[in-house]
Amino acid sequence: MKRSLGLWIMLLAVNIIYAQNPAKVTIKGTVVDTSDVPAPYPTVMLLNPVDSSLINFTRADEKGAFEFKNVRNVPYLLKISLLSYQPRQIGVAPHDKEINDLGNVKIKPISLELMEVVIRSAKANLSFRGDTIEYDASTFKVPPGSTVEDLLRRLPGIDVDADGNIKSQGKDVRKVYVDGKTFFGDDPKAATKNLGAETISKVQVFNEQSEQAKITGVDDGKKDKVMNLELKAEYKKGAFGKITGALGDQERWAARGNFNRFNTKEQFSLIGFGNNINQTGVNWEDYGEFKGQNAYSDFDSGDFGFNNGGGRYFYYGGGGEGLQNRFDGRGFTKNFGGGANYNYDNAKKSKFNASYTYNQTDLSLDEFSLRQTFLPDTTFFNSDTLGRGEYRNNHIINSRWEQNLDSNNVLIVKANARLSNQDATSLQNQLFSNSLEKANNRLSIDNNSNRDTWALTSSMIFRHRFKKKGRAFAFSAAFNQNQNDLNENFASLNRFFTTEQIRQLNRQLNRDNNGNDEIKSSLLYTDALSKKWFFESFYNFSQVSSQNQRRVTDLELNDQLIENLSLFSDNKLLYNRLGTGLRYSHEGINLAFGLAALQYNLHGEFSRDEDQPLVAPAVDRTFTHVTPNVDLSFELPNNIYLNSSYSFGVQAPQFNDLRPVTTYNNPSFRSEGNPNLTPELSHRMSAGFNFWDPASFSSLNFNVEYNLKESQIVYNQIIQPDDKLGILSITRPENVSGGNEFSSYFWVNRPLIKTKLTMSINGGINFSKNPAFVNGIENETTSRGSNVYVDLSATPTAKLIFTLAGSLNLTNISYSIQESQNQKIRNTGIDANVKYQFAKKAFFESNLDYNIFRNDRFDFKQDIPIWNASVRQLFGKSNKIEMRLAAFDILNKRLAINQNGSANFIERRISNTLARYFMLSMSYNVRGYESKLKKNNWF
């Protein structure tokens, strides 16, 4: 107490003495070592002498010179941090002149015997270690109960937008590690919303090499910005968890819980949830805790070579994560789920993960849509009212094992399985009208369906690095299987609004049985030609076998087979790719160019039933192409990065598009196949620029991408009147030449007031032109769009976080036929968030998201302000109990709206969804928020 009183008396005396001093000054100096040699690039900070909180910062230049311009003329602590030197801290008193030149400030090298002592005792608010920026989390104040996301908002140089996306140095943070382990996988928001800020000791941001660079030991110029959260010692072992229950008006309820127990090698987790507030899975914070360090393992797909194996993508659904919240905002859901997870990590030898999850969702949806379809000489409308009920569940087992056989050999084995079921009922009414909006006919559809799916994905990857730098070998093999069985009881009634009131009834049973098997493998060999030149060779192979049977029977004729709607297909796709490339890597310059020869062999047989003759000659197609690839990147002085690339893409047609027959569910909308299709060919070019200023933590990022389509598959349409159906639409895939896409993106971030107020601006311009044919006449659809997003993030005190953001999205869609149907879509948004600690353990949080939708073509105007607010209170000595009163959509305005235009139609969809409700929740934290945080002057 006496010490604090004396300090304040001293500061008061200093202020009186220097009352006539300038209000603002420039503080400058030069950092040198004990031999008066300039120390390059040290971190220099101005700290508050009362609590050592960070006020301002910069990074000195290569000659050790630093300067703080136009800062308040008050007492400071000036702290200098540089790797291999002892931290230096000096007092800076108010100055009687506008320039306060400190001259040479000496720092001492760390002797080996003092290294460990200094590392343990020295705390720098932020420091630079090569390309790593390190923040001492304990020196950035946030209220108890804050998440890592709240902490990140206070760190200079890190930008967190309203959706929780993270950027650093002008680049997206792609992954987040916890204690150097893949704790939450690819989505950084999982980690930032999961852990409490009180668990973090340090935050480190750095560049991570690509997976191939890790294998070969050769820098390929491809780096991702990643973050590591270092836990405090007391949180690296033990148990933690959280249980939450909530009740609301309108019979709303929610419950979730998780429990985790772990030590330095093992982690066991349990999780569960249930609700009727449209959370179809757990939120990210619980999911991240549950999955632990193996939340994602997509980095080791085993597809080697440029373009990740050449674009061979086959989805089997076997390794999906069944607990994540994937609700698209439409309708009402009731949800349950849970699971168990086990991780074992012996960092030097083995890593193993196994998990089981289950979830189920019961959906109720009502939706209205209005579509206008236009033809070369006319147009028609259809309004669609849909009522849908759906129940689905998933059982998922995931496992992954990684073994370091020795320092040069790694073996990875993965296996994932999924068993799913879906029951759905839908009632759909479609009203078709002519160009004068006079009703032609009404089509009513009643569809009841049941779907059972089984999927398995498995793979093995072996990596070997030779003693010679740059020489490495890798091998992968995989087996994937998928079975999808669907039964549909389909009925349609078509009413024609003529004088005779014609009615047509159609009742049929559709049975689809689809099975797919894939085996694939890849090889990779790299070697060094010199210290700067390297080459690589790779081989990719896959074979997909599929049998698909669709049996359609007429329920009005004793389940008799409708042959013209039934189809059995037996298909095989064989893929081979062999390629090689050269790479130059030296002093920040990376140039890679290569060629690959690829071949697709497609064989398909189609019949009405498995034992019946073919309905058309078998499809036997072979496609061979040579694909070049070029990558160039420069790492220039002063933190400037340039990159560019070119690739030639080849994508084989899908078997479903090659079928030589017509299929449909809705009789008014039919699709034909085209056995004469050829692959899609495209030229893709990109370029980027990135600049980061470590002195001010300002960033500038700009990227452009252009895709020229040499050949693309489009779905041409024939739309015509039909005596039985009213309007008949037939689509057929065709190859067309032409079409292009352009997109650009920029991002600027600059602190307006260091550590207090940061502004970021991002946006882009995009353009696309794609041809298609409507009734034999070419229709070229052109889309032009632009968007801009401005964000202000303020952290004026330790108790307040405030963000304000605005966005504007403009889209113009034009058509070469029926130009009168061109449309302009305008979406504008304003988002404001505030978190405020208004009492010792009480907090207020509020969010206002105001969206404005405009579409002149539909004369559509919709303003949707969504306002949420809550008050929470912590209880107990360790703050283990939390109560929250929350109001959602206070203004009762929530709607799900979608506007789009494509090919020859424009459409608007409006769906019901959960609107205003109130909830009272109580949470119990197994560990709580440690009360010892008070020692850091947090109150």
Side-chain angles (χ1 to χ4, degrees), residues 374 767-770 779-784 811-824 901-904 906:
F374 44 89
F767 170 87
S768 69
K769 181 180 290 187
N770 292 295
N779 176 41
E780 195 170 66
T781 304
T782 302
S783 176
R784 298 178 176 88
T811 303
N812 294 338
I813 302 174
S814 59
Y815 309 92
S816 59
I817 64 173
Q818 292 283 344
E819 294 183 3
S820 61
Q821 309 304 327
N822 296 350
Q823 60 176 324
K824 297 180 179 180
S902 177
N904 66 322
I906 51 180

Side-chain angles (χ1 to χ4, degrees), residues 247 268 369 379 444 468 534 578 675 677 847 868:
L247 293 175
F268 176 71
S369 65
T379 185
S444 300
K468 179 183 177 182
F534 307 85
L578 179 65
L677 289 176
N847 164 258
N868 304 321

Side-chain angles (χ1 to χ4, degrees), residues 225-266:
K225 190 66 65 177
V226 299
M227 178 180 291
N228 181 53
L229 305 175
E230 185 175 312
L231 294 175
K232 294 178 180 177
E234 62 267 31
Y235 286 90
K236 293 186 178 184
K237 59 182 179 179
F240 66 93
K242 187 175 182 179
I243 300 173
T244 300
L247 293 175
D249 64 332
Q250 306 171 58
E251 299 183 348
R252 299 295 166 194
W253 63 272
R256 68 174 185 267
N258 67 82
F259 177 78
N260 307 269
R261 188 170 187 85
F262 57 95
N263 53 40
T264 56
K265 292 184 179 181
E266 295 177 291

Side-chain angles (χ1 to χ4, degrees), residues 676-700:
N676 298 316
L677 289 176
T678 60
E680 293 186 293
L681 308 176
S682 63
H683 303 266
R684 186 176 297 274
M685 293 153 277
S686 66
F689 168 84
N690 180 266
F691 167 72
W692 177 62
D693 180 9
S696 65
F697 275 52
S698 300
S699 304
L700 172 63

Side-chain angles (χ1 to χ4, degrees), residues 38 51 189 418 448 454 463 474 546 613 670 694-695 771 776 781 846 850 887:
D51 59 5
K189 288 184 285 187
R418 175 196 288 267
N448 297 285
W454 151 261
R463 298 171 178 170
S546 64
R670 306 184 181 188
T781 304
S846 182
Y850 195 106

Side-chain angles (χ1 to χ4, degrees), residues 598-611:
L598 64 84
Q599 185 177 80
Y600 288 102
N601 298 100
L602 293 86
H603 178 82
E605 298 180 353
F606 302 88
S607 59
R608 293 302 178 187
D609 211 341
E610 185 172 4
D611 298 325

Side-chain angles (χ1 to χ4, degrees), residues 697-768:
F697 275 52
S698 300
S699 304
L700 172 63
N701 190 24
F702 180 72
N703 293 280
V704 295
E705 187 172 291
Y706 180 69
N707 187 17
L708 177 63
K709 300 177 180 180
E710 183 176 316
S711 174
Q712 63 173 309
I713 296 175
V714 301
Y715 295 89
N716 298 332
Q717 294 187 344
I718 296 176
I719 303 173
Q720 58 195 20
D722 186 273
D723 293 337
K724 296 181 178 181
L725 298 173
I727 298 293
L728 174 62
S729 175
I730 301 174
T731 62
R732 174 183 168 88
E734 300 279 358
N735 286 101
V736 298
S737 59
N740 57 80
E741 297 174 345
F742 170 83
S743 63
S744 63
Y745 172 80
F746 75 91
W747 188 78
V748 180
N749 177 271
R750 181 175 180 82
L752 303 180
I753 303 175
K754 287 185 177 180
T755 74
K756 300 296 183 183
L757 179 63
T758 300
M759 179 182 70
S760 64
I761 304 174
N762 67 74
I765 298 173
N766 58 77
F767 170 87
S768 69

